[in-house]
Every structure is written in C-alpha cells, then in structure tokens.
Amino acid sequence: MLRSVIALIAGFAIMTFGQLVATIVLALALGVRPGTPSPAFLPASLACGAVAAAFGGFATAALAPQRHGTHVLMLMAMILVMGLSNLLAPPAGQPGWYLAAALVAQPAFAGAGGLLRIRRR
C-alpha cells in the first residue's frame, strides 16, 4: 500500500516539478511577465506540460508494485481533478482554451507515458 502511494505521489511530483521548471525557463526565455503570457508562451507551455505528464506517468508505472495500469489511471484522475479545478477557478492570465487543452492533454500524455513503461516490462 505504501509503495502505491509513493508511486502516485512521485509521478505527480515529477510532472508538477517538470512543468514548474519548464514554465520558469520558458518565461525567462520569452520575456513573459506574470499575468501576461505571450502567444508563443502558451503553446510551448502546453507542450512542456504534456511532456512532463508523460514522464510522471512513466515514473508512476515504474514505481508501482503491481497493477501498473491501475496506478497510471489513478494518476490520470489526479491530473484531471487538478485540471478541472483550474478550469473552474482559472489562474490570472490563462485563457479558457489553454486550460481546456491542458485538461485533455496532460491526462492523455500521462497515460501514454505509463503505457510506454508498461509495454517495456
């Protein structure tokens, strides 16, 4: 049970930390200020979030003690809940299309990353 919790927390943390680092790097590279994302920033951030979610799904499947697919589905549900909360109470400067795209892309890429790890076993 503990290893299952660790697998989920680690996958979510990897995704979140990856997205955070990518956001900082992108913002610095594109000269973005808080609350005023540029047109180039949003698609790049969406792509980085999808890649970070794939790494999180891969890590969750790798760390899960058994039923790897179930763990990845649980991670996808966690990401979906996070995305829905952002969609219902949007952060400043993030348009609805961006939040909706993240709501679809991040769970899907987490599932793809987990599936990649499961197939490699």
Side-chain angles (χ1 to χ4, degrees), residues 52-98:
F55 277 109
F58 189 94
T60 297
L63 294 171
Q66 56 195 11
R67 298 188 330 221
H68 311 286
T70 302
H71 286 80
V72 173
L73 286 173
M74 291 169 60
L75 176 67
M76 292 169 67
M78 291 168 61
I79 296 168
L80 189 62
V81 168
M82 179 190 68
L84 284 172
S85 70
N86 282 340
L87 194 61
L88 297 174
Q94 293 186 354
W97 70 264
Y98 172 79

Side-chain angles (χ1 to χ4, degrees), residues 15-25:
M15 181 200 71
T16 304
F17 184 73
Q19 177 69 41
L20 176 67
V21 170
T23 299
I24 292 169
V25 169

Side-chain angles (χ1 to χ4, degrees), residues 11-58:
F12 195 82
I14 287 168
M15 181 200 71
T16 304
F17 184 73
Q19 177 69 41
L20 176 67
V21 170
T23 299
I24 292 169
V25 169
L26 282 172
L28 291 173
L30 298 173
V32 175
R33 291 188 307 262
T36 59
S38 70
F41 174 79
L42 293 174
S45 177
L46 195 58
C48 289
V51 171
F55 277 109
F58 189 94

